[in-house]
């Protein structure tokens, strides 16, 4: 499994797509955080990163599908998937290896943003006047959100040989998982179940962790959500062998 993980990770890192994708993510998040008037923290006047953590889930809806779209789609288009499954490795090991390779890339994209925390901490008055607990909780929330979106992206890539179609399906599913339940709960006739429907969506659990409180129910939710999509991926891949 490690060989597949290493091959997947280095295959992506050896292409320009990884650097362009992560570079665009960092550029857009930096512009939104520091320069655009409506979202700039310099205009907000408080030493906190709430605006950044509110914006990144929307950027993830494009970043992570771009990272995962090639996982299975490219293998099947190039015919290398048939060679891969002849190796002495199970389907689960292939899926998990590709999943963690993509998740490591998501982590690579997040690590440089720690400089935002350092910068705002330095700019605070007095220096260091920032709620570090909330920031740590929000970063954990972002990583867990990235883990769920990555499982959705892997599933979408398994559905088709076309990377563009995989990207579109993944972006749409990520958007629905993050926002769809909240909007659905507002539909007339479903408002009596608003709390229940909201709890099914990712947004409620992401907001909960972002407050700096790690609730085991939120952790179980993110892990379960990810496992469901990895299981669906196995069913899809297994059916196409």
């Amino acid at each position: 499994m490690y060989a597949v993980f290493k091959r997947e990770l280095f295959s992506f890192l050896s292409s320009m797509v990884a650097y362009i994708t992560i570079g665009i993510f960092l550029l857009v998040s930096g512009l939104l955080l520091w320069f655009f008037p409506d979202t700039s923290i310099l205009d907000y006047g408080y030493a906190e990163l709430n605006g950044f953590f509110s914006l990144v889930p929307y950027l993830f809806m494009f970043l992570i599908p771009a990272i995962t779209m090639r996982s299975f789609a490219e293998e099947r288009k190039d015919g290398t998937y048939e060679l891969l499954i002849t190796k002495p490795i199970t389907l689960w090991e292939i899926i998990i290896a590709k999943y963690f390779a993509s998740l490591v890339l998501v982590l690579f994209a997040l690590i440089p943003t720690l400089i935002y925390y350092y910068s705002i901490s330095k700019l605070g008055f007095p220096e260091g006047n920032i709620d570090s607990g909330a920031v740590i909780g929000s970063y954990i929330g972002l990583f867990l959100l990235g883990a769920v979106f990555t499982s959705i992206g892997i599933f979408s890539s398994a559905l088709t040989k076309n990377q563009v179609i995989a990207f579109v399906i993944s972006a749409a599913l990520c958007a629905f998982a993050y926002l769809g339940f909240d909007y659905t709960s507002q539909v007339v006739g479903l408002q009596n179940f608003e709390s229940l429907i909201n709890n099914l969506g990712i947004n409620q659990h992401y907001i909960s962790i972002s407050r700096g409180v790690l609730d085991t129910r939120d952790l179980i939710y993110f892990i379960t959500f990810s496992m469901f999509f990895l299981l669906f991926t196995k069913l899809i891949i297994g059916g196409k062998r």
Side-chain angles (χ1 to χ4, degrees):
M1 187 172 81
Y2 177 69
V4 176
F5 167 82
K6 187 177 174 182
R7 168 178 167 270
E8 186 77 9
L9 183 61
F10 282 90
S11 171
F12 203 92
L13 290 176
S14 64
S15 71
M16 288 300 295
V17 176
Y19 302 100
I20 293 173
T21 303
I22 294 175
I24 291 175
F25 166 74
L26 294 173
L27 176 65
V28 173
S29 62
L31 289 173
L32 289 170
L33 182 64
W34 298 104
F35 295 103
F36 289 177
D38 291 340
T39 55
S40 172
I41 193 169
L42 298 178
D43 293 333
Y44 187 57
Y46 292 97
E48 60 180 33
L49 278 169
N50 290 350
F52 170 73
F53 291 118
S54 298
L55 290 168
V56 170
Y58 296 95
L59 299 180
F60 268 9
M61 293 176 194
F62 299 96
L63 170 72
I64 294 177
I67 288 175
T68 57
M69 65 183 183
R70 61 192 294 278
S71 297
F72 282 104
E74 187 179 58
E75 294 260 19
R76 293 173 58 207
K77 181 182 178 184
D78 294 343
T80 55
Y81 175 69
E82 286 73 12
L83 181 63
L84 181 63
I85 60 175
T86 61
K87 304 291 184 184
I89 184 172
T90 66
L91 269 182
W92 264 122
E93 289 174 324
I94 294 172
I95 293 168
I96 295 297
K98 287 179 174 291
Y99 172 73
F100 279 111
S102 298
L103 195 55
V104 167
L105 291 170
V106 175
L107 188 60
F108 282 169
L110 277 179
I111 287 175
T113 65
L114 290 173
I115 196 170
Y116 301 153
Y117 166 72
Y118 177 78
S119 302
I120 292 171
S121 177
K122 286 292 183 184
L123 290 172
F125 183 78
E127 185 176 307
N129 182 27
I130 184 170
D131 188 348
S132 298
V135 172
I136 292 170
S138 296
Y139 266 108
I140 292 173
L142 272 186
F143 180 74
L144 293 171
L145 179 68
V148 171
F149 281 5
T150 300
S151 69
I152 292 174
I154 294 289
F155 165 75
S156 302
S157 184
L159 291 174
T160 175
K161 296 179 180 179
N162 189 309
Q163 293 188 42
V164 176
I165 294 175
F167 175 88
V168 172
I169 294 173
S170 178
L173 287 176
C174 289
F176 180 79
Y178 187 71
L179 299 170
F181 290 95
D182 290 354
Y183 287 120
T184 301
S185 69
Q186 302 300 318
V187 174
V188 176
L190 296 177
Q191 292 173 341
N192 290 334
F193 306 99
E194 181 178 355
S195 178
L196 174 64
I197 296 173
N198 283 339
N199 279 327
L200 293 175
I202 295 176
N203 192 24
Q204 293 297 314
H205 298 274
Y206 174 67
I207 291 173
S208 176
I209 289 183
S210 297
R211 295 192 184 104
V213 180
L214 284 177
D215 192 316
T216 52
R217 290 171 295 184
D218 296 321
L219 293 175
I220 291 171
Y221 171 85
F222 281 109
I223 293 171
T224 304
F225 205 123
S226 300
M227 288 302 300
F228 265 122
F229 272 95
L230 294 180
L231 178 60
F232 292 152
T233 303
K234 184 177 182 295
L235 294 175
I236 294 294
I237 293 296
K240 292 180 178 178
R241 293 186 72 171

